[in-house]
Amino acid sequence: MARADVLVVEDQPLAAKDVEATLSVMDYDVVEIVRKGEDAIETAVEAEPDVVLMDILLAGEMDGIEAAQQIQDEHEIPVVFLTAHAEPETVGRAKQFGPYGYISKPVDPVELRTAIEVAIHKSELDEKLKRSRIELTAFAHTVAHHLGEPLAAIDDRLDRLEASASDQLEERERDDLVTARREVDRAKAMVDGLLAYAEAGEAEPSQPHDVDEALDQVLAKLEPLIAETGARVEREPLPEVYAPEDKLVWLLGNLVENAIEHAHVDEPVVRVRSEEEDDHAVVAVEDNGMGIEPGIRDSIFDLFDRGQTQRPGAGVGLAVCKRIAEANRGGIWVESEPGEGSTFYARLPKGEEPAG
């Protein structure tokens, strides 16, 4: 195994020397020891270490969490935290951006080696996953380009046929024209869905965003559907979560729109609420509709799966929701019983506590 280069960020000289000595015995190269977060960022860029061991509480204006987030997100170098007696709030902040590990001080050699090797291995896997996502996005754009042109040409021919000969067509032929138009639109939606699916998996550095504000945007966009269906949307105070704002709005919008469309026909009710789960928030979207049959609950998150709905669509919405949640260190699932409605849960890293 090649020797790994390690940057140590520790403002206590004795603790720093202890870590350096332990690393040297284990045949790691210590590229440098720095005391401040600002120096850690500069050194990480210059030295390009394989891993950074970062104390959370540092000298200077920038603490280890801020420095670690910048190093890991912008320079893609894995960070392992060194912790002693940090406050729970500080540890909670540290968890939000997904460090590669934690080590308690004073360091145990076996624990230290394990944390470093796991961090490096996970970083390599993340890099492979990132390349796969880039390749998938490129493939999706290529497919969209090559399919988009013939679909546009077919659409144009249908327009011409409808404009020039619709009054000469028999009823069956007019029905065929409507069917052809519908299938072209569906194919276009599938191409757009493939692009959305590919782009949804791109991990992006994010800040806390208010789910309440995202829901405001969603409900404003869905006003025509709410008016058409007469749906009542109930809501509770919602938290902040770590996710890109546009992806958060997309995910929440799809879940709420689906809930409205599948709620009870005569008295549609949708409820949006949240639950806490360790360092994550779980946003729940409930409807009072017909529920989902057990045999299709898992497959509804598959790309191009349309479940039991007869409504138009390409079957990509829930697949994109799943990809967004997982790309942001979360997940999504559904609980449902036939005749008793459905509840979709989106789990995302938690920001601040909800107001109220």
Side-chain angles (χ1 to χ4, degrees):
M1 181 181 297
R3 292 165 64 97
D5 293 336
V6 182
L7 169 62
V8 177
V9 188
E10 169 62 72
D11 65 347
Q12 299 297 321
L14 291 179
K17 289 298 182 184
D18 178 56
V19 172
E20 181 182 28
T22 304
L23 290 170
S24 298
V25 169
M26 293 189 294
D27 210 27
Y28 291 111
D29 286 331
V30 178
V31 296
E32 195 164 343
I33 298 174
V34 297
R35 300 180 63 244
K36 297 181 179 181
E38 297 86 347
D39 295 337
I41 295 170
E42 182 178 346
T43 304
V45 174
E46 294 174 353
E48 297 183 345
D50 297 301
V51 66
V52 177
L53 298 181
M54 178 82 70
D55 189 15
I56 292 179
L57 303 177
L58 297 172
E61 297 182 1
M62 179 181 290
D63 67 11
I65 299 172
E66 295 175 84
Q69 184 163 12
Q70 189 167 333
I71 290 171
Q72 194 163 287
D73 287 347
E74 297 183 12
H75 306 292
E76 299 181 346
I77 299 172
V79 175
V80 175
F81 278 129
L82 300 171
T83 64
H85 302 291
E87 295 292 328
E89 289 183 9
T90 303
V91 175
R93 280 182 56 223
K95 291 180 180 179
Q96 296 297 344
F97 81 97
Y100 281 75
Y102 299 86
I103 302 173
S104 298
K105 294 189 292 185
V107 297
D108 174 79
V110 175
E111 182 183 359
L112 181 60
R113 180 186 291 278
T114 300
I116 290 174
E117 296 304 323
V118 168
I120 293 173
H121 180 64
K122 185 175 183 296
S123 178
E124 292 171 349
L125 293 178
D126 286 347
E127 179 59 29
K128 291 179 181 178
L129 180 59
K130 180 182 177 182
R131 288 198 298 269
S132 296
R133 287 170 174 163
I134 292 172
E135 291 170 359
L136 175 60
T137 302
F139 171 75
H141 280 279
T142 300
V143 170
H145 173 72
H146 287 292
L147 288 182
E149 289 185 354
L151 285 173
I154 295 171
D155 208 17
D156 180 63
R157 298 302 187 277
L158 291 174
D159 283 339
R160 294 183 187 182
L161 178 61
E162 189 172 20
S164 63
S166 61
D167 57 346
Q168 304 172 29
L169 299 176
E170 296 180 0
E171 183 176 353
R172 182 179 59 81
E173 293 170 327
R174 283 195 293 271
D175 289 343
D176 289 342
L177 186 61
V178 170
T179 299
R181 173 82 67 189
R182 183 173 61 246
E183 291 305 311
V184 168
D185 290 342
R186 182 166 174 265
K188 287 180 178 179
M190 292 177 72
V191 171
D192 291 341
L194 180 61
L195 280 173
Y197 180 80
E199 293 171 355
E202 296 176 0
E204 305 172 25
S206 62
Q207 299 296 323
H209 287 104
D210 192 332
V211 183
D212 267 318
E213 293 180 2
L215 182 58
D216 288 340
Q217 295 183 48
V218 167
L219 295 181
K221 181 180 179 181
L222 294 178
E223 276 184 3
L225 178 63
I226 294 172
E228 177 187 345
T229 59
R232 184 172 80 250
V233 179
E234 301 175 349
R235 58 191 292 180
E236 297 179 2
L238 301 170
E240 289 187 342
V241 297
Y242 278 81
E245 183 179 15
D246 59 334
K247 301 288 179 63
L248 176 61
V249 171
W250 203 104
L251 184 154
L252 191 60
N254 191 273
L255 294 183
V256 173
E257 183 175 5
N258 277 355
I260 293 172
E261 291 180 342
H262 292 89
H264 193 281
V265 175
D266 297 325
E267 297 182 8
V269 178
V270 173
R271 184 183 179 209
V272 185
R273 56 182 176 81
S274 67
E275 304 172 359
E276 290 189 16
E277 184 180 293
D278 298 326
D279 54 350
H280 283 67
V282 179
V283 178
V285 180
E286 305 175 18
D287 68 62
N288 64 339
M290 62 183 292
I292 303 171
E293 294 294 333
I296 65 171
R297 284 180 203 154
D298 293 334
S299 65
I300 60 174
F301 294 103
D302 294 343
L303 188 61
F304 302 134
D305 187 285
R306 299 179 63 218
Q308 59 197 18
T309 183
Q310 300 301 313
R311 295 179 175 86
V316 299
L318 290 176
V320 174
C321 287
K322 179 181 179 182
R323 197 159 167 82
I324 289 173
E326 292 179 348
N328 289 279
R329 307 191 309 279
I332 191 169
W333 68 96
V334 63
E335 294 179 2
S336 180
E337 292 295 336
E340 298 182 10
S342 304
T343 303
F344 284 82
Y345 297 90
R347 181 177 183 267
L348 293 166
K350 184 170 58 178
E352 300 298 326
E353 296 296 323

